[in-house]
């Protein structure tokens, strides 16, 4: 049973990587690549994540499924840069785009 679950999870990961790879080829660095409709709506959703949070300047943010790192851009645009930010994504193609924008430096 465990082996079957591992196979299923690997297949889900493979399909997910391929879906975003296709979207990246189709749309480029665009919110639609990540399943968002517009930047405005993406930012509205990001704004909702800040409700009730303490000051981020002394915090660490782990952005799972970071895509292009748009959440970090959103935070910086509002002068809310966390002490440390770590973006993680399954898709190396998306991470490559993020690294071009933000570099590959810790924090």
């Amino acid at each position: 049973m465990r082996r079957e679950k591992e196979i299923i999870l690997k297949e889900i990961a493979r399909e997910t990587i391929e879906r975003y790879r296709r979207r990246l080829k189709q749309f480029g660095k665009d919110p639609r690549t990540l399943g968002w409709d517009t930047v405005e709506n993406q930012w509205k959703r990001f704004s909702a994540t800040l409700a009730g949070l303490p000051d981020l300047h002394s915090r660490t943010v782990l952005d799972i499924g970071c895509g292009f790192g748009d959440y970090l851009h959103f935070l910086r645009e509002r002068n809310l840069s966390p002490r440390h930010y770590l973006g993680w994504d399954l898709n190396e193609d998306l991470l490559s785009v993020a690294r071009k924008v933000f570099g590959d430096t810790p924090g």
Side-chain angles (χ1 to χ4, degrees):
M1 180 99 147
R2 183 174 182 209
R3 177 78 174 131
E4 291 173 15
K5 287 181 183 179
E6 288 175 8
I7 291 170
I8 291 169
L9 290 174
K10 284 181 182 181
E11 181 61 19
I12 290 170
R14 188 195 64 72
E15 289 173 1
T16 301
I17 291 167
E18 187 54 39
R19 177 175 57 247
Y20 289 104
R21 183 173 287 146
R22 282 192 311 270
R23 288 181 185 173
L24 181 60
K25 286 180 184 177
Q26 181 180 3
F27 299 118
K29 186 183 180 310
D30 186 279
R32 294 173 295 171
T33 298
L34 305 173
W36 302 103
D37 52 355
T38 65
V39 171
E40 292 79 19
N41 285 331
Q42 182 183 29
W43 266 213
K44 285 178 188 175
R45 291 180 182 110
F46 288 166
S47 290
T49 67
L50 299 176
L53 285 180
D55 177 24
L56 291 180
H57 294 289
S58 62
R59 305 292 181 167
T60 297
V61 171
L62 173 59
D63 185 359
I64 297 175
C66 67
F68 302 130
D70 292 334
Y71 191 62
L72 179 59
H73 176 72
F74 164 83
L75 293 173
R76 286 181 174 174
E77 192 174 87
R78 282 153 184 75
N79 243 1
L80 297 171
S81 295
R83 178 187 295 172
H84 299 285
Y85 169 90
L86 176 62
W88 185 90
D89 204 289
L90 285 173
N91 193 307
E92 187 58 41
D93 296 338
L94 301 179
L95 291 173
S96 292
V97 173
R99 286 186 190 105
K100 288 178 185 173
V101 173
F102 295 104
D104 197 16
T105 57

